[in-house]
Amino acid sequence: MIMNWRIETHDSLPSTQDVLKRPEYSNAAEGTVIQTRIQTAGRGRRGRVWVGDQAGNLYLSFLLRPNLKPQQFGQIGLVAGIALAQAIRPLLKNPADLVLKWPNDILLAGKKCAGILVETDATNNVIVGVGVNVKTAPLEHTARLNDFCVAPVHEDDLRDRILYIFSDLYKRWLENEWGVLHGEWLANALPAGTPMTVKHGGQIRTGWFETIDDGGNLILRTENGTREIIMCGEVFL
Ligand code: BTN
């Protein structure tokens, strides 16, 4: 199955995520994509603002209807992360500049260039939001994709690459290939042993990245030698 993407492009929206959560989209086809040129109230993970006041970046959300078991929820964002990595890496002057950082960040030379937000709506549809700083990097310590590319990229071409690749990965994921995809995520990610600090549930843990488990949780090796399973949190390098 190659997904039948139905792309709606808008000039300006508050948040592409919220459009797909509107009741009139609750029966929309899987593969419905909402893209906007400017996003005025974009959200990131953990309630953060995702700045979208400049045209030329990629802001989109797409709708999925997988029959999810609870432990699979965390896997979807990781599958989307692989799609972004595979879509972006061949465009780079130095392909090694790109790494995935758990759970859903795409870094270029250590700075965040893209993020993924996975949410569900009232009817358990899954909404995957993707933001990529293609033409402008709105905040300090963020990266602009076009600074790293062999040739400037248009956000619509990047969108098509991401959707095409995700379609194939999603099919494989539905066919129970998570075991292989898990390895593909790790192959694109920060190497095991990378020192990191993780903030979760009001606690701070320092240690080294070990791996991600089957549910997509982060496994952190701490200074006292324990392995911590982190289901949600924020990683600082
Ligand atoms: C993150 O890294 O925190 C996730 C950022 C996700 C941003 C995208 S932009 C398109 C979609 N609409 C939103 O409001 N957020 C996501």
Side-chain angles (χ1 to χ4, degrees), residues 14-18 34 36 39 41-51 58-61 104-106 112 114-119 128-132:
S15 163
T16 55
Q17 292 290 104
D18 292 344
I34 305 292
T36 190
Q39 188 168 245
R43 290 197 305 280
R45 292 176 56 249
R46 307 174 78 73
R48 293 233 175 77
V49 170
W50 188 265
V51 179
L58 183 62
Y59 316 105
L60 66 79
S61 300
N104 289 326
D105 290 349
I106 288 81
K112 182 158 170 169
I116 297 162
L117 176 68
V118 183
E119 298 178 315
V128 180
V130 174
V132 185

Side-chain angles (χ1 to χ4, degrees), residues 36-235:
T36 190
R37 302 292 173 202
I38 300 272
Q39 188 168 245
T40 54
R43 290 197 305 280
R45 292 176 56 249
R46 307 174 78 73
R48 293 233 175 77
V49 170
W50 188 265
V51 179
D53 57 350
Q54 299 290 318
N57 287 346
L58 183 62
Y59 316 105
L60 66 79
S61 300
F62 55 86
L63 184 78
L64 302 175
R65 299 174 184 285
N67 199 0
L68 269 187
K69 299 188 192 100
Q71 73 271 22
Q72 291 178 303
F73 182 77
Q75 296 171 1
I76 294 192
L78 301 176
V79 174
I82 304 169
L84 263 72
Q86 291 185 355
I88 293 172
R89 199 184 294 285
L91 308 173
L92 301 178
K93 287 180 246 180
N94 178 10
D97 278 338
L98 184 149
V99 288
L100 297 178
K101 188 185 85 166
W102 184 89
N104 289 326
D105 290 349
I106 288 81
L107 306 184
L108 289 177
K111 292 183 176 175
K112 182 158 170 169
C113 170
I116 297 162
L117 176 68
V118 183
E119 298 178 315
T120 50
D121 72 3
T123 58
N124 277 336
N125 289 334
V126 174
I127 298 165
V128 180
V130 174
V132 185
N133 302 328
V134 178
K135 204 171 162 192
T136 53
L139 302 174
E140 223 186 317
H141 306 305
T142 57
R144 191 180 88 101
L145 176 61
N146 276 342
D147 285 336
F148 292 82
C149 286
V150 175
V153 180
H154 191 278
E155 72 271 23
D156 291 353
D157 296 328
L158 181 64
R159 173 200 67 203
D160 292 345
R161 289 176 67 84
I162 292 169
L163 295 178
Y164 183 77
I165 292 170
F166 180 82
S167 185
D168 176 59
L169 295 171
Y170 183 58
K171 170 177 174 283
R172 291 171 53 200
W173 181 69
L174 291 174
E175 290 170 352
N176 295 318
E177 274 198 46
W178 167 245
V180 183
L181 296 171
H182 176 263
E184 286 182 26
W185 191 89
L186 287 172
N188 282 287
L190 292 165
T194 301
M196 53 178 53
T197 298
V198 185
K199 275 193 195 166
H200 69 118
Q203 297 188 320
I204 297 185
R205 290 272 183 279
T206 306
W208 297 268
F209 175 61
E210 187 167 301
T211 189
I212 53 166
D213 69 10
D214 237 22
N217 305 305
L218 173 76
I219 308 295
L220 185 77
R221 175 72 63 182
T222 63
E223 280 157 335
N224 57 19
T226 58
R227 288 172 98 229
E228 298 261 345
I229 302 175
I230 317 265
M231 296 171 76
C232 60
E234 195 174 0
V235 169

